[in-house]
Amino acid sequence: MSSFTFTHVGGPTALLEVDGWRILTDPTFDAPGRTYAFGWGTSSRKTAGPALSVEEVGEVDAVLLSHDHHADNLDDSGRAMLAGVPAVLTTVPGARRLGAPAQGLSPWEVTTLTHPDRPALTVTATPGRHGPVGAQALVGAVTGFSLTWEGQEHGAVWVTGDTVLTSAVRRVAERVQVGTVVLHLGGVRFPTTGPVRFTMTVNDGRELCRELRPRTVLPVHHEGWSHFRDSAAALERPELAPDGGRTVWAEPGRPLVVEV
């Protein structure tokens, strides 16, 4: 049976280690206390720092970047570390902004990470929408990622990225056998945009998991920022995986072995 090691660094940032590969999601390593502008009159204060520093994380082979234009997914320290990463996978407009070595993927586009001493990792971009219908024109594009490799018995590892629950996101369950989902939550809202949500809530995550039926759910992106409005629900650590699956609210900084 195949497995990987999951280490939640904080916010959306996690380290995935499998068969010699070290894959980092959404690098955020700035210290807490600063307020960041997100555009259109929105902003958020970082309230907690990472459990591990860039130096403690060490070298990584690739970064999976949901989007580059909000500091809760790519802050200054995270942006600085990209220069030393061989592969950065993100949205098409994000890759244009970042430049090499960033590679932009459209929804359902596939790329493969290869190394002479390791098994190939297949990465498929999955759809996402960072807010209500029409939000992309104002908020910008986001993406998720499905990871598959030889030896998986229970299905792909899916990193949802920052998204609300849409019909396109639900269709991931139809196109991908998901064994493990790294689930971005937080129920993001801002005073200037009222009740509009920009990421999934705990209830949205539970609903999505009913359709995915994953073996393991790993919630992230639910603590450490003032615009995460569903943090109280996340702190209750509810069960999100149906029918014998398990939800692991990983302690930041503590490695967790996940069977896949």
Side-chain angles (χ1 to χ4, degrees):
M1 180 178 294
S2 182
S3 65
F4 74 101
T5 300
F6 175 87
T7 305
H8 186 201
V9 177
T13 310
L15 179 65
L16 284 61
E17 299 173 89
V18 54
D19 292 334
W21 289 100
R22 306 184 83 247
I23 311 296
L24 190 70
T25 65
D26 291 341
T28 55
F29 291 96
D30 285 357
R34 177 178 165 190
T35 297
Y36 299 77
F38 289 167
W40 299 96
T42 63
S43 64
S44 183
R45 182 171 58 87
K46 189 169 188 178
T47 60
L52 301 172
S53 66
V54 172
E55 293 74 22
E56 288 170 325
V57 167
E59 293 186 3
V60 298
D61 299 295
V63 163
L64 306 180
L65 182 59
S66 170
H67 56 297
D68 68 300
H69 50 282
H70 294 151
D72 62 317
N73 294 82
L74 183 67
D75 59 17
D76 292 345
S77 299
R79 191 176 295 270
M81 76 166 291
L82 294 185
V85 178
V88 178
L89 304 180
T90 189
T91 65
V92 171
R96 287 198 295 264
R97 286 187 292 265
L98 292 170
Q103 177 183 350
L105 299 175
S106 300
W108 299 116
E109 188 172 354
V110 178
T111 192
T112 303
L113 300 177
T114 60
H115 188 281
D117 301 322
R118 304 171 194 158
L121 295 184
T122 300
V123 183
T124 304
T126 59
R129 194 182 73 213
H130 206 7
V133 174
Q136 180 166 324
L138 299 177
V139 182
V142 298
T143 187
F145 304 93
S146 167
L147 284 76
T148 56
W149 59 86
E150 187 175 355
Q152 289 176 326
E153 295 184 15
H154 304 292
V157 176
W158 179 33
V159 182
T160 66
D162 281 11
T163 183
V164 293
L165 186 55
T166 69
S167 57
V169 171
R170 292 175 188 273
R171 279 195 292 274
V172 172
E174 301 172 4
R175 299 187 58 159
V176 181
Q177 180 187 349
V178 176
T180 301
V181 56
V182 180
L183 188 64
H184 286 220
L185 299 174
V188 167
R189 288 191 305 176
F190 300 96
T192 57
T193 54
V196 172
R197 300 279 187 176
F198 293 89
T199 61
M200 286 186 281
T201 64
V202 163
N203 284 338
D204 293 330
R206 184 180 290 110
E207 184 175 344
L208 177 60
C209 288
R210 280 199 294 265
E211 300 181 27
L212 294 172
R213 310 185 83 79
R215 177 183 174 92
T216 306
V217 181
L218 301 168
V220 298
H221 195 265
H222 54 78
E223 41 68 47
W225 290 81
S226 63
H227 66 320
F228 292 166
R229 299 305 177 91
D230 201 35
S231 295
L235 286 173
E236 296 176 1
R237 300 194 167 204
E239 182 59 58
L240 304 178
D243 299 334
R246 65 168 184 159
T247 302
V248 182
W249 297 82
E251 180 180 340
R254 177 170 293 182
L256 169 73
V257 177
V258 182
E259 294 182 346
V260 292

